[in-house]
């Protein structure tokens, strides 16, 4: 049985089924014990299975978190960018005849959208600079943009940075869990393959017993019929 061709979820499902079904069949447990494969060894395999199952569940949760944060970040950045650009355009109008303040606030620099980090840095610098300049705050208020309006959009930018940071942390956990999952699945599959080899040998005189753990056994007569049907079809 080539277990590596199965998906990870199928591998776990098969391992769990075999471990459970084997322990429920006294004749199989006795056959295994006769080959020095006792409950202690099965318990080790079960522990590997539970560990792998836990890692896969944690990984799924973290991947879901990354996906959810990505969606939230994309939607939030689009909305916030539009409000930020409205304020930037107003700042350019206010500083039309004040190139010194325009340069200090870097109002005429191209806005970067391709990199979230660069976009957020420009936006945060803009709000920090404007809110430190009382004349700018008063000029905005004169045109209908109150201090609360500036602070509200600034808070949105800061919140997006927080979302991005949480996403990066979650992605880092995903990478770590993927490594742990692959290592544990290798251990589990090796243990399972060894177990199945011992089990098959233990019941070699009555291979149909393997079906009790969920392994389909095909007799030579069945295989001969299948080969004959395949030859006829060709």
């Amino acid at each position: 049985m080539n277990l590596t061709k199965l998906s990870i979820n199928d591998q776990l499902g098969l391992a769990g089924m075999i471990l459970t079904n084997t322990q429920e069949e006294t004749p199989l447990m006795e056959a295994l014990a006769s080959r020095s494969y006792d409950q202690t060894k099965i318990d080790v395999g079960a522990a590997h299975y539970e560990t792998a199952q836990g890692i896969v569940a944690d990984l799924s949760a973290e991947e879901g978190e990354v996906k959810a944060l990505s969606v939230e970040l994309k939607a939030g950045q689009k909305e916030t960018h539009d409000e930020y650009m409205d304020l930037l355009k107003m700042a350019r109008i206010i500083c039309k005849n004040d190139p010194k303040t325009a340069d200090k606030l870097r109002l005429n620099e191209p806005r970067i959208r391709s990199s979230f980090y660069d976009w957020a840095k420009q936006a945060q610098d803009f709000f920090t600079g404007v809110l430190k300049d009382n004349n700018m705050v008063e000029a905005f208020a004169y045109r209908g943009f109150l201090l609360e309006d500036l602070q509200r959009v600034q808070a949105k930018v800061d919140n997006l940075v927080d979302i991005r940071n949480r996403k990066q942390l979650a992605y880092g956990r995903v990478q770590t869990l993927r490594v742990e999952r692959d290592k544990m699945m290798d251990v589990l599959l090796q243990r399972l393959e060894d177990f199945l080899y011992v089990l098959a040998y233990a019941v070699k005189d009555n291979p149909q017993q393997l079906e009790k753990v969920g392994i389909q056994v095909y007799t030579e007569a069945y295989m001969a019929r299948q080969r004959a049907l395949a030859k006829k079809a060709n």
Side-chain angles (χ1 to χ4, degrees):
M1 178 181 294
N2 191 347
L3 301 175
T4 59
K5 291 185 177 181
L6 300 176
S7 69
I8 289 175
N9 285 336
D10 286 343
Q11 290 171 347
L12 282 172
L14 179 63
M17 179 184 67
I18 290 174
L19 285 167
T20 299
N21 291 351
T22 298
Q23 294 179 84
E24 291 177 350
E25 294 292 333
T26 301
L28 292 179
M29 293 295 289
E30 292 175 348
L32 286 167
S34 70
R35 297 296 170 181
S36 300
Y37 206 101
D38 57 14
Q39 184 66 52
T40 300
K41 292 183 178 179
I42 292 177
D43 289 343
V44 172
H48 291 329
Y49 166 73
E50 291 176 2
T51 300
Q53 195 174 42
I55 293 172
V56 169
D58 290 343
L59 176 57
S60 178
E62 292 294 349
E63 288 175 335
E65 178 73 2
V66 170
K67 184 176 180 180
L69 289 172
S70 295
V71 171
E72 185 179 358
L73 184 63
K74 183 177 181 180
Q77 185 179 1
K78 183 180 185 305
E79 176 187 328
T80 304
H81 180 75
D82 292 341
E83 294 185 86
Y84 160 45
M85 289 305 295
D86 288 341
L87 294 173
L88 177 65
K89 290 174 184 177
M90 181 54 64
R92 286 170 175 168
I93 292 173
I94 293 171
C95 295
K96 183 177 180 180
N97 298 316
D98 186 359
K100 183 177 180 180
T101 300
D103 288 342
K104 183 175 72 172
L105 297 175
R106 295 185 291 182
L107 298 181
N108 296 316
E109 289 184 2
R111 299 297 108 172
I112 300 173
R113 290 292 302 277
S114 58
S115 163
F116 176 84
Y117 175 82
D118 291 333
W119 174 86
K121 182 70 167 57
Q122 281 187 322
Q124 288 180 316
D125 288 347
F126 168 77
F127 285 107
T128 298
V130 168
L131 291 171
K132 282 183 177 180
D133 189 325
N134 290 332
N135 291 330
M136 286 297 294
V137 172
E138 290 176 3
F140 267 105
Y142 179 77
R143 291 165 175 78
F145 295 92
L146 303 179
L147 174 62
E148 292 81 1
D149 298 321
L150 296 169
Q151 292 173 329
R152 178 180 56 81
V153 182
Q154 180 189 41
K156 283 189 174 184
V157 173
D158 291 341
N159 182 57
L160 289 173
V161 172
D162 179 65
I163 292 173
R164 173 57 186 266
N165 291 339
R166 284 157 50 203
K167 176 187 171 183
Q168 292 297 95
L169 289 173
Y171 185 72
R173 293 192 294 271
V174 165
Q175 295 297 91
T176 299
L177 286 168
R178 283 175 178 169
V179 172
E180 293 178 3
R181 176 202 62 188
D182 291 344
K183 288 182 178 179
M184 183 50 62
M185 289 304 299
D186 286 343
V187 171
L188 176 62
L189 293 184
Q190 184 59 60
R191 190 84 187 184
L192 185 59
E193 288 177 353
D194 291 346
F195 170 77
L196 291 175
Y197 177 81
V198 174
L199 179 61
Y201 189 78
V203 298
K204 66 181 186 300
D205 295 331
N206 187 12
Q208 298 303 315
Q209 290 188 71
L210 291 174
E211 295 184 354
K212 294 180 179 179
V213 300
I215 300 174
Q216 184 66 50
V217 178
Y218 297 115
T219 64
E220 180 56 35
Y222 172 85
M223 295 303 296
R225 287 197 300 272
Q226 292 299 105
R227 287 193 292 269
L229 288 172
K231 184 176 181 181
K232 185 177 180 180
N234 294 329

